[in-house]
Amino acid sequence: MTSLLIFEHIQNAYHSLRSTKMRTLLTILGVAIGVASITTILSLGGGVTKLVSNQIDNLGGNIAVVRPGMVSKSLNDFTNPTTSGIFTTSTLTEEDFRDIQAVEGVEAAAPLMVLNGSVKSTKNGTKPANSVIVATTPSLEQIAKLPIRDGQFIDTVTDQNTSVIGSQLSVDLFGTDQSIGQTFTFRGQIFTVIGVLKHMNNPINYNNVDFDHTAIISLESGKGFNQGIVQIQQINVSAKSVDQLPHVIDTANKQLLANHQDEKDFDILSGEEIAKPTSQFFKAVTAVMTVIAAISLVVGGIGIMNIMLVGVAERTREIGLRKAVGASDINIVWQFLTESLIMSLLGGILGYISGYIIALMISTALPFDPIFSWEIAAIAMSIAVGVGTVFGLYPAIRAARKDPIESLRQYH
Amino acid sequence: MTKKIPPVIELRGLTKRYGVGDAEHNALDEIDLTIEKGEFITIMGPSGCGKTTLLNILGLLDRSDDGEYLLDGKSVETLSNTRHARIRSQQIGIVFQSFNLINRLNVIENVALPLTYKGMFRTKRLIMASEILKSFHLSEREYYMPWQLSGGQMQRVAIARALVNNPSIILADEPTGNLDSKSSHIVMEELSDLHKRGNTIVMVTHNPNLTTYASRVIQMLDGKVASDTKVPPAKKETNKKKPLNIESSTPPVKDTPKKSAKNRKKKQAKK
């Protein structure tokens, strides 16, 4: 019997909300703001999370990554995943790298040795703030698919004092991206630019290096800065084909275990696993931000409750009359709950749409796009409905509990 | 009166108390009352004698503290609020002093409102409401808003609303209390007409002139029935003419008997 009344309640809610347009609009806006901020955060958070896994997909699926240390699954790990390994002494050695290179089925392997220190232009002495120095081998170009804009990548015959730099670093150092032949110093040593990378705008990637701001030098030069010892943060391995990857990982694993006296102080990751530490970090960040944004939803919900309580007080006589002509308590609860649900649902839709508009506007300044997924739509709508129910229930119950005699006695 | 049909309402020792301790008093004090089908009862009495309380209990808007209340032969005292709501929706029609029309809804929607809670669909509701309004000669006012009507029209709409779910009993709490004498008269004619069509009506009033319409007059005092007089039909007829004669100079009064005559004809035609 009550199910039949849903249409009546919707129609009734439509009429009563229309008769108080302004305050209905403001209440809807309150919910919309909360839902919009959650939609923005989730869509951008999803975008950045997918960024890394997309890169790995684009590389073709034959990539494995060796990282030092034990990858623990604790939350503490998320707090600093991109720099973990940089501040600790790596367990990976040059021997490991050579052994992996020698594994059957390996097409190429490249170590990444990130060095501390800053570069300085010899021309005008500018010191870009956020530059990174990476020492590696020529195969990195192939594995990481680094695009060269000008000049060449470091190779086996190039001088130890040569470097390939990112386009942004080139601009920061020399004021131009046409910087071949220019020189800069790093820890007192002079490097000549022999190649400039294309602008990639890709600061978040599985190498944990923003190649736009990077100066790439040879592994030998890198060793020179570290008392002749290689300090490897990551080894990128590419198999000859996708099929051979599991075998490569298996063999490399055995080889490294042997090298490390059966101590599993390294990880060989492939596919989605590579993206996992980065993705999980951003997922955690997204979750924290969502919780903060949820506070604004509580405010929106209080707005609904407030307006519904006003509505109930205003319509006390109507409630009394409806009860007198046969409305049960449940009927009254649903009548008012429908009203608050409609407001919150409209707020949810409005918030979802404006959330994406905001996300798209923000993403023009970011290296990634917001993702569109049904999950975000479902979350936004269920949050809106949840707010409508939670904050609409009390006023609705209050309305239903009203004594019909008292209610009818009340004059306006 | 046939004995087989149970009385519409039967009260046995109905008591309602207000206040606590020293302040406690009985608003209704062991009332015994039987209302048969087709009676038009007016309940009279000074303010605070408990007549409105009685009406509220009859309308299941309030609960008694003691005693028994049988509606259509069934005890309703111990039923849940939800069951009470259902009985209100199916067996009781209430007319209020202050009309209590919902301002947001137009006339026909106001009249159709009780049918909503019977779970009837909108189209069917509006058809039924329209039929009822036709018998009250308010067809051309169907899409007016309540504030566009006169007091008398509003109360007639309210009576139509009380009648739309075809209740066993119509309860009216001072239906003419907010009306001028002209409108009062029209409204009373309408109620009287309903009575003639076989409806059971219980009306609370202050106005002794209105008792002339009733088939039975109950005087209440301090929560008790002080007197219970059945008005013989013959006497009623003569009495009934009296107010008509007094106000016969005003044109609407002349109108109304015609109206009721029309109604009667219509009803007969329907049958």
Side-chain angles (χ1 to χ4, degrees), chain A residues 303-319:
Chain A
I304 285 193
M305 192 189 264
N306 200 7
I307 280 310
M308 288 311 295
L309 284 173
V310 171
V312 169
E314 275 180 355
R315 279 185 278 159
T316 302
R317 260 165 90 80
E318 181 188 324
I319 294 163

Side-chain angles (χ1 to χ4, degrees), chain A residues 1 8 317-318 323, chain B residues 88 100 104 116-117 125:
Chain A
M1 192 175 137
E8 316 309 330
R317 260 165 90 80
E318 181 188 324
K323 284 187 136 189
Chain B
R88 280 201 297 274
N100 282 325
R104 255 184 310 115
T116 311
Y117 299 108
R125 289 204 308 262

Side-chain angles (χ1 to χ4, degrees), chain B residues 38-41 195 211 213-217 229-232 236:
Chain B
E39 282 191 299
F40 188 163
I41 296 178
H195 171 226
T211 58
Y213 293 92
S215 66
R216 185 174 163 193
V217 180
T229 342
K230 281 200 177 158
V231 185
K236 202 178 99 194

Side-chain angles (χ1 to χ4, degrees), chain A residues 113-130:
Chain A
M113 177 180 180
V114 181
L115 294 154
N116 287 330
S118 60
V119 293
K120 191 169 125 191
S121 166
T122 44
K123 194 169 130 199
N124 48 19
T126 40
K127 259 178 158 179
N130 49 354

Side-chain angles (χ1 to χ4, degrees), chain A residues 75-152:
Chain A
L75 194 71
N76 280 342
D77 231 35
F78 298 144
T79 53
N80 217 346
T82 49
T83 49
S84 69
I86 290 178
F87 300 124
T88 57
T89 309
S90 172
T91 53
L92 297 175
T93 62
E94 192 174 359
E95 189 197 355
D96 294 335
F97 163 60
R98 302 282 172 219
D99 286 344
I100 287 171
Q101 237 179 352
V103 167
E104 198 199 328
V106 168
E107 185 185 36
L112 287 178
M113 177 180 180
V114 181
L115 294 154
N116 287 330
S118 60
V119 293
K120 191 169 125 191
S121 166
T122 44
K123 194 169 130 199
N124 48 19
T126 40
K127 259 178 158 179
N130 49 354
S131 55
V132 185
I133 312 299
V134 174
T136 184
T137 60
S139 354
L140 184 71
E141 182 195 3
Q142 182 197 350
I143 301 172
K145 295 210 167 76
L146 295 176
I148 304 286
R149 209 179 65 89
D150 279 322
Q152 62 159 113

Side-chain angles (χ1 to χ4, degrees), chain A residues 333-384:
Chain A
V333 167
W334 273 110
Q335 181 191 334
F336 284 94
L337 203 55
T338 310
E339 243 173 72
S340 66
L341 278 176
I342 284 176
M343 279 200 285
S344 62
L345 210 59
L346 288 177
I349 293 167
L350 189 69
Y352 181 72
I353 293 167
S354 47
Y356 265 112
I357 292 171
I358 295 167
L360 287 168
M361 277 177 356
I362 292 176
S363 71
T364 56
L366 293 175
F368 51 91
D369 294 326
I371 52 159
F372 291 88
S373 73
W374 66 268
E375 283 102 334
I376 294 176
I379 288 171
M381 287 308 129
S382 51
I383 283 175

Side-chain angles (χ1 to χ4, degrees), chain A residues 62-66 99-109 236-256 268-270:
Chain A
N62 62 335
I63 303 286
V65 163
V66 186
D99 286 344
I100 287 171
Q101 237 179 352
V103 167
E104 198 199 328
V106 168
E107 185 185 36
N236 293 357
V237 186
S238 76
K240 279 177 184 146
S241 71
V242 178
D243 304 340
Q244 277 171 300
L245 191 64
H247 172 71
V248 166
I249 290 170
D250 203 41
T251 323
N253 201 21
K254 278 180 195 147
Q255 185 61 50
L256 289 191
I268 304 182
L269 310 167
S270 64

Side-chain angles (χ1 to χ4, degrees), chain B:
Chain B
M1 292 281 165
T2 46
K3 275 173 193 167
K4 275 187 182 175
I5 303 168
V8 179
I9 285 174
E10 203 176 345
L11 304 178
R12 292 189 202 130
L14 201 77
T15 304
K16 176 79 185 174
R17 293 183 202 95
Y18 284 120
V20 197
D22 283 351
E24 188 179 289
H25 74 284
N26 290 351
L28 295 178
D29 198 355
E30 296 192 11
I31 291 208
D32 298 306
L33 184 66
T34 307
I35 300 170
E36 300 290 346
K37 192 171 160 35
E39 282 191 299
F40 188 163
I41 296 178
T42 55
I43 301 175
M44 304 269 303
S47 294
C49 70
K51 51 192 194 307
T52 298
T53 307
L54 178 64
L55 207 71
N56 286 338
I57 289 173
L58 291 182
L60 295 176
L61 295 173
D62 206 351
R63 284 170 187 273
S64 64
D65 294 316
D66 237 326
E68 222 181 330
Y69 173 14
L70 302 170
L71 181 67
D72 286 336
K74 280 172 215 145
S75 176
V76 292
E77 268 304 287
T78 52
L79 298 178
S80 69
N81 283 340
T82 315
R83 292 290 299 278
H84 274 185
R86 193 173 301 168
I87 292 169
R88 280 201 297 274
S89 128
Q90 293 176 344
Q91 286 169 268
I92 295 170
I94 305 179
V95 179
F96 303 93
Q97 178 176 359
S98 47
F99 327 130
N100 282 325
L101 300 178
I102 296 177
N103 281 326
R104 255 184 310 115
L105 305 178
N106 61 28
V107 164
I108 192 164
E109 279 167 340
N110 263 297
V111 173
L113 189 67
L115 299 176
T116 311
Y117 299 108
K118 278 181 133 178
M120 215 175 261
F121 282 113
R122 186 177 157 80
T123 321
K124 202 178 169 198
R125 289 204 308 262
L126 293 183
I127 289 170
M128 284 186 73
S130 181
E131 271 171 24
I132 284 277
L133 280 170
K134 210 182 279 171
S135 73
F136 280 83
H137 304 279
L138 285 163
S139 284
E140 68 279 16
R141 297 277 188 276
E142 272 178 8
Y143 293 97
Y144 278 48
M145 300 308 280
W147 41 269
Q148 292 171 311
L149 303 177
S150 71
Q153 282 170 334
M154 279 203 263
Q155 192 59 298
R156 276 155 66 209
V157 170
I159 295 171
R161 180 182 62 194
L163 209 65
V164 75
N165 54 0
N166 198 16
S168 320
I169 186 158
I170 296 164
L171 305 171
D173 191 358
E174 306 239 19
T176 59
N178 281 8
L179 300 176
D180 56 35
S181 64
K182 205 167 84 182
S183 306
S184 292
H185 189 80
I186 297 170
V187 165
M188 282 318 296
E189 278 300 323
E190 212 74 75
L191 284 174
S192 167
D193 202 47
L194 291 178
H195 171 226
K196 283 185 197 117
R197 285 195 253 162
N199 288 293
T200 317
I201 301 172
V202 178
M203 182 179 80
V204 164
T205 184
H206 267 117
N207 187 346
N209 290 336
L210 300 181
T211 58
T212 50
Y213 293 92
S215 66
R216 185 174 163 193
V217 180
I218 293 171
Q219 286 281 349
M220 281 183 71
L221 191 65
D222 299 337
K224 285 181 179 147
V225 175
S227 74
D228 187 345
T229 342
K230 281 200 177 158
V231 185
K235 195 187 166 196
K236 202 178 99 194
E237 281 304 312
T238 50
N239 271 358
K240 200 189 156 189
K241 274 179 188 160
K242 221 172 155 188
L244 284 184
N245 289 339
I246 291 165
E247 294 173 35
S248 59
S249 54
T250 54
V253 177
K254 270 184 185 169
D255 256 16
T256 32
K258 267 189 212 161
K259 252 184 202 168
S260 29
K262 240 186 186 172
N263 277 347
R264 248 169 277 151
K265 261 184 212 164
K266 254 185 199 166
K267 213 207 163 194
Q268 277 163 355
K270 261 186 193 171
K271 275 183 180 176

